[in-house]
Amino acid sequence: MAISLPNVQQAPSDVAPPEQAWLQLVQARVEAALGLLFELPDEASLDPRWSRAMEQARDYALRPAKRLRPALVLAGHGLARESTAVPPGLWGFAAGLELLHTFLLIHDDVADQAALRRGGPVLHRMLAPGRQGEDLAIVVGDHLFARSLEAMLESELPGVTRVVQYYLGVCRHTAAGQYLDLDLSRMPLSEVTLFQTLRVAHLKTARYGFSAPLVCGAMLGGADETLKKGLEQVGRSVGLAYQLRDDLIGLFGDASVAGKACDGDFTQGKRTFPLMAAYVRATPAGREELERLWALPVEQKDAEALARARALVESFGGRVACERAVERASRSARRGLQALPNSHGMRDLLDALIARLARRAS
């Protein structure tokens, strides 16, 4: 089937922006395909408890979400083919890629001791209380990882094996980024650099979440090296902007809007860009207080400590510095887009999407 892309320049003011309408279309199709990935006849009679766990995992996976990665796969494919036509197998591939993202979220939620994800309880709290729920969620995540690979390969698109190999290589780097993110939280702030926070953002989010989906779609569409390189660079910039915005939401956000806790980065002691940008600008006394606050035991990181942490990061310029970094990365992505083709308005849709992501609150 073919997607009929909205016209960015001619969209009436009383309807949803084109990039939003396009995302809604992608979300609907991908979520339908994602639901089908949980229909596994060979597992139906394994055990009622396993069937129940799969139902819970399906509910978790199908909660309302942006579905950015599948959208970027379709955008990369459309730019490569210079067409809005979407081969049926591409929906299955995109759903498989989104399922792999779900697997990573499940494991992240356990590692971060999170309570909320997309406006609901994290999977490990759905499965069982305490450590048992965490153990069970890790196993379910492993299952979804295997299922995601099956789904991508089952698409039988030309060159799909090579594309999956490329994406798995990126996922190895994502694991390194997640490791560094967790490991840096054990280090004194004085031993962490802004460069390290940017490297984590690049490894953990930018390549895996943005560059790779664009490049995967382009590879499946038969793109040349010039287009793949251009999309890789655009993805790196928009992915960096996305992660830095996430760092701001993770400290200054509104949980009712974000759909997840907005004190988690402080509670877990994450060394994020706004914190480190404030630290390098702080007075000696300010640095000492930031060190003390971030080193507090979790049970002492109450509302008063959070408010003080936010005030310090704000007063020493960490929030403003991060906002500026988001804008710089977004501008870089949008400049890079101008060198790409604009067949059927796809480049314009990506440009509008980048601008939208830079301003997001969730």
Side-chain angles (χ1 to χ4, degrees):
M1 72 90 67
I3 294 178
S4 179
L5 295 176
N7 186 298
V8 174
Q9 289 78 20
Q10 299 176 4
S13 59
D14 60 343
V15 299
E19 73 280 3
Q20 182 179 338
W22 179 63
L23 270 178
Q24 289 171 345
L25 173 62
V26 172
Q27 288 163 357
R29 289 301 304 266
V30 167
E31 286 169 6
L34 190 58
L36 293 175
L37 297 184
F38 286 88
E39 295 184 6
L40 299 168
D42 63 313
E43 296 183 10
S45 59
L46 292 181
D47 191 280
R49 289 168 297 185
W50 177 250
S51 297
R52 174 58 180 158
M54 286 296 98
E55 289 174 8
Q56 292 173 303
R58 184 182 185 277
D59 291 344
Y60 174 93
L62 290 177
R63 285 177 189 165
K66 300 179 190 72
R67 312 299 179 195
L68 289 176
R69 291 153 193 82
L72 294 175
V73 169
L74 294 174
H77 185 271
L79 286 168
R81 301 294 297 175
E82 297 188 357
S83 168
T84 60
V86 180
L90 193 59
W91 293 114
F93 180 92
L97 189 142
E98 182 70 3
L99 192 63
L100 192 149
H101 177 58
T102 304
F103 140 72
L104 287 174
L105 292 182
I106 291 169
H107 282 202
D108 277 1
D109 288 343
V110 172
D112 292 343
Q113 294 291 290
L116 292 174
R117 174 69 69 176
R118 294 173 176 168
V122 292
L123 184 65
H124 60 267
R125 292 197 175 188
M126 296 169 65
L127 294 173
R131 175 63 185 271
Q132 183 182 12
E134 295 172 2
D135 291 344
L136 294 173
I138 292 294
V139 174
V140 170
D142 292 342
H143 174 277
L144 298 188
F145 174 71
R147 184 68 187 112
S148 72
L149 296 184
E150 283 184 329
M152 288 188 281
L153 293 172
E154 286 169 357
S155 69
E156 298 184 348
L157 294 164
V160 70
T161 300
R162 181 169 56 91
V163 175
V164 171
Q165 288 176 328
Y166 160 77
Y167 195 66
L168 289 178
V170 172
C171 288
R172 287 191 287 104
H173 287 201
T174 305
Q178 175 70 352
Y179 181 93
L180 293 174
D181 187 33
L182 294 170
D183 196 45
L184 287 175
S185 66
R186 301 185 301 113
M187 296 176 61
L189 300 185
S190 60
E191 296 180 14
V192 181
T193 67
L194 274 173
F195 174 78
Q196 287 174 310
T197 69
L198 291 173
R199 181 164 57 187
V200 168
H202 170 67
L203 290 172
K204 184 179 175 181
T205 303
R207 283 200 70 207
Y208 147 76
F210 293 84
S211 290
L214 282 167
V215 173
C216 283
M219 291 173 70
L220 292 169
D224 59 25
E225 289 301 318
T226 300
L227 179 58
K228 287 189 288 186
K229 183 177 180 181
L231 289 171
E232 167 75 19
Q233 292 172 341
V234 168
R236 285 180 183 228
S237 295
V238 69
L240 176 60
Y242 187 93
Q243 181 57 54
L244 294 180
R245 175 61 65 193
D246 213 51
D247 289 349
L248 287 167
I249 294 170
L251 184 59
F252 295 102
D254 182 342
S256 66
V257 176
K260 59 182 179 180
C262 291
D263 60 355
D265 286 352
F266 173 62
T267 303
Q268 297 301 316
K270 295 293 183 71
R271 273 54 173 159
T272 60
F273 188 94
L275 166 63
M276 297 314 305
Y279 185 83
V280 300
R281 293 167 169 81
T283 62
R287 291 186 179 189
E288 184 177 336
E289 188 172 5
L290 285 169
E291 287 273 19
R292 182 186 64 78
L293 284 168
W294 255 259
L296 287 172
V298 173
E299 61 272 13
Q300 293 182 28
K301 289 183 174 178
D302 55 16
E304 182 180 351
L306 175 63
R308 182 57 181 162
R310 287 171 167 168
L312 285 172
V313 172
E314 180 107 44
S315 65
F316 289 122
R319 185 174 188 171
V320 169
C322 196
E323 290 280 6
R324 289 173 178 167
V326 169
E327 289 302 318
R328 285 195 301 271
S330 297
R331 286 198 302 269
S332 176
R334 298 179 75 179
R335 283 197 303 269
L337 273 178
Q338 299 313 305
L340 303 181
N342 194 29
S343 177
H344 299 277
M346 183 62 76
R347 186 186 70 195
D348 292 335
L349 279 174
L350 282 176
D351 183 70
L353 180 60
I354 290 169
R356 185 184 185 89
L357 291 176
R359 300 187 302 268
R360 71 189 178 93
S362 65

